[in-house]
Amino acid sequence: MSRSVNAADLSRTFTREFEVDGDKCLVIHQSEIGDVGCVVWDAAIVLSSYMRTNDFILHDRRNVLEGKRVIELGAGTGVVGIHAAALGAVVVITDLEDFVPLMQKNINCNRAAFSHEITARPLKWGENQQEFLPPPDYLMLADCIYYEESLDPLVLTIKDLCGPKTIVFCCYEERLTDAKIALEMKFHKLIDKYFHVEKIPLERQDVHFRSEDIHILKMRLKK
Ligand SMILES: C[S@@+](CC[C@H](N)C(=O)[O-])C[C@H]1O[C@@H](n2cnc3c(N)ncnc32)[C@H](O)[C@@H]1O
């Protein structure tokens, strides 16, 4: 089940720019009108920025994303997946059908930054995830924990898309209403059943784009 959404209005957008590697600049269109996915959320900026840190990107001086398969869930504008593509990954960004045109627009605007394929496709949590197999190397999601009915299908989708080697990065903003606190607790209970979960400490995150109330979880399927 998902909420009814308003599609992004592509005739009325405003942009936000992100520097990658010092030489590439990504331009992300956000829609003035539409549902929550029409704009870039802070958790997406924190996760995108973390991807550029040495803590994430370098292993034995090699770029861990180069040529790796990445799927982003609930991508909205597609900003996280677009960062991963600009850092060398082969990416599929996904969201509800209504957001595919906005994601596609953002892919088209940043073509020069990509060395591998990046596509935008519909994926409704709990539904057609088999079409996205084999499991990706990385599964990314930012600010996707925000309404009760979606929690079970979201966790099911994460679990079903993962293989034994998939690494999930889930970034979310802590919100302090009773309902959101309960939601976050429920999410943790669900993921703890299936995943080993490590929280990336603040000091390993990007020095400029990090926040006490935004968390990055690194998860792997339990055997
Ligand atoms: C708060 S927005 C975050 C967007 C983007 N990740 C960011 O952080 O900028 C949540 C996203 O989840 C998507 N979403 C909500 N329910 C969904 C569902 N059932 N299946 C797939 N995507 C869903 C929304 O369309 C929206 O783009």
Side-chain angles (χ1 to χ4, degrees):
M1 196 195 312
S2 72
R3 295 157 149 189
S4 62
V5 294
N6 294 315
D9 178 353
L10 296 191
S11 66
R12 292 176 59 185
T13 63
F14 58 105
T15 57
R16 181 155 190 171
E17 295 187 359
F18 298 90
E19 227 182 70
V20 187
D21 281 350
D23 60 343
K24 284 182 196 164
C25 185
L26 301 174
V27 179
I28 300 295
H29 286 261
Q30 308 173 84
S31 170
E32 285 175 20
I33 300 168
D35 202 31
V36 291
C38 289
V39 291
V40 173
W41 289 77
D42 288 347
I45 298 174
V46 168
L47 182 54
S48 300
S49 306
Y50 174 59
M51 276 194 277
R52 302 193 302 258
T53 61
N54 287 347
D55 190 73
F56 177 93
I57 197 84
L58 286 184
H59 185 70
D60 292 338
R61 300 213 200 153
R62 304 248 294 273
N63 173 352
V64 296
L65 280 180
E66 182 56 46
K68 293 290 186 335
R69 284 188 65 236
V70 172
I71 298 180
E72 185 186 1
L73 301 176
T77 61
V79 65
V80 171
I82 285 172
H83 268 83
L87 293 166
V90 180
V91 179
V92 182
I93 48 179
T94 72
D95 203 296
L96 298 171
E97 181 101 51
D98 278 345
F99 288 92
V100 173
L102 180 61
M103 296 190 292
Q104 191 59 55
K105 182 180 178 84
N106 282 327
I107 290 175
N108 296 344
C109 287
N110 292 289
R111 284 264 176 232
F114 310 136
S115 46
H116 296 292
E117 194 184 11
I118 168 164
T119 49
R121 291 173 57 188
L123 190 163
K124 188 170 170 182
W125 305 329
E127 292 194 0
N128 51 349
Q129 59 260 10
Q130 317 75 257
E131 295 169 22
F132 293 82
L133 295 172
D137 298 290
Y138 295 92
L139 191 60
M140 309 269 184
L141 55 155
D143 218 344
C144 288
I145 309 162
Y146 67 106
Y147 66 103
E148 169 79 31
E149 317 87 88
S150 68
L151 274 196
D152 287 314
L154 174 62
V155 175
L156 187 77
T157 297
I158 299 172
K159 178 173 88 58
D160 288 354
L161 283 177
C162 277
K165 293 191 174 155
T166 305
I167 301 175
V168 183
F169 283 95
C170 170
C171 186
Y172 69 94
E173 184 170 342
E174 196 180 304
R175 294 182 172 101
L176 295 177
T177 61
D178 287 350
K180 297 291 184 198
I181 291 168
L183 197 67
E184 196 188 312
M185 281 171 63
K186 185 176 170 192
F187 178 73
H188 277 274
K189 212 168 157 194
L190 283 171
I191 56 172
D192 284 345
K193 235 168 65 183
Y194 305 114
F195 295 93
H196 295 288
V197 182
E198 174 196 352
K199 193 169 155 192
I200 306 293
L202 213 55
E203 61 273 15
R204 282 169 49 193
Q205 299 180 30
D206 182 272
V207 279
H208 302 295
F209 297 101
R210 64 184 176 188
S211 170
E212 294 280 358
D213 61 354
I214 298 183
H215 307 291
I216 303 178
L217 306 179
K218 181 178 182 181
M219 304 164 21
R220 274 180 195 269
L221 267 185
K222 283 182 178 167
K223 286 191 183 126

